[in-house]
Amino acid sequence: MTDALAERLAEAPLIAVDFPKFTDGRGYSLARLLRERHGFGGEIRAVGDVLVDQLYFMTRCGFDGLSLREDQWLEDAQRALGAFSRAYQPAVDQPEPLFRRREREWAQAREEAAAFA
């Protein structure tokens, strides 16, 4: 994606990213570039060959609209989106890695304990 194209898309309310095959990972990179490098704030929707087991990873890359393939079930999609409670690696949805979040939580707990001592 070029800066000129990103600038033209900046005001778009929606960008649909097509997955011609579920094995094509270019859409993940495109969504992440749109969010992180170009600051796109509108909806990024995954369309095409989108499977339930990809949804969690798509949301981590910046997708907030997911259009399932016709043979996929909504109930399975909802279950898949809630399958993980925390992620180790930073991503669009959580830019801070887990070890940093834990360090901050431990520091807060130590401060609170010291306040009661």
Side-chain angles (χ1 to χ4, degrees):
M1 162 161 306
T2 65
D3 289 337
L5 178 58
E7 190 174 312
R8 289 183 64 196
L9 294 173
E11 299 302 317
L14 165 71
I15 295 175
V17 178
D18 183 38
F19 284 82
K21 296 184 206 176
F22 74 90
T23 57
D24 188 342
R26 293 174 292 177
Y28 293 92
S29 300
L30 183 58
R32 192 153 185 181
L33 285 170
L34 283 165
R35 294 285 189 218
E36 293 180 338
R37 185 177 296 168
H38 301 291
F40 182 73
E43 179 181 346
I44 301 176
R45 183 179 303 165
V47 299
D49 200 12
V50 176
L51 304 178
V52 166
D53 59 345
Q54 297 171 297
L55 301 182
Y56 173 74
F57 303 105
M58 288 178 167
T59 59
R60 300 230 51 228
C61 289
F63 286 97
D64 50 6
L66 305 161
S67 185
L68 293 172
R69 201 169 72 181
E70 287 185 18
D71 64 339
Q72 303 293 290
W73 295 89
L74 181 59
E75 295 80 13
D76 293 338
Q78 291 171 327
R79 205 170 20 259
L81 286 170
F84 301 101
S85 60
R86 290 189 171 193
Y88 291 106
Q89 303 87 357
V92 171
D93 67 337
Q94 177 54 260
E96 190 176 40
L98 181 61
F99 77 92
R100 292 266 188 245
R101 296 190 310 260
R102 285 190 174 162
E103 283 177 346
R104 189 179 60 255
E105 291 168 3
W106 291 335
Q108 288 172 345
R110 284 192 301 271
E111 288 175 11
E112 290 171 6
F116 289 110

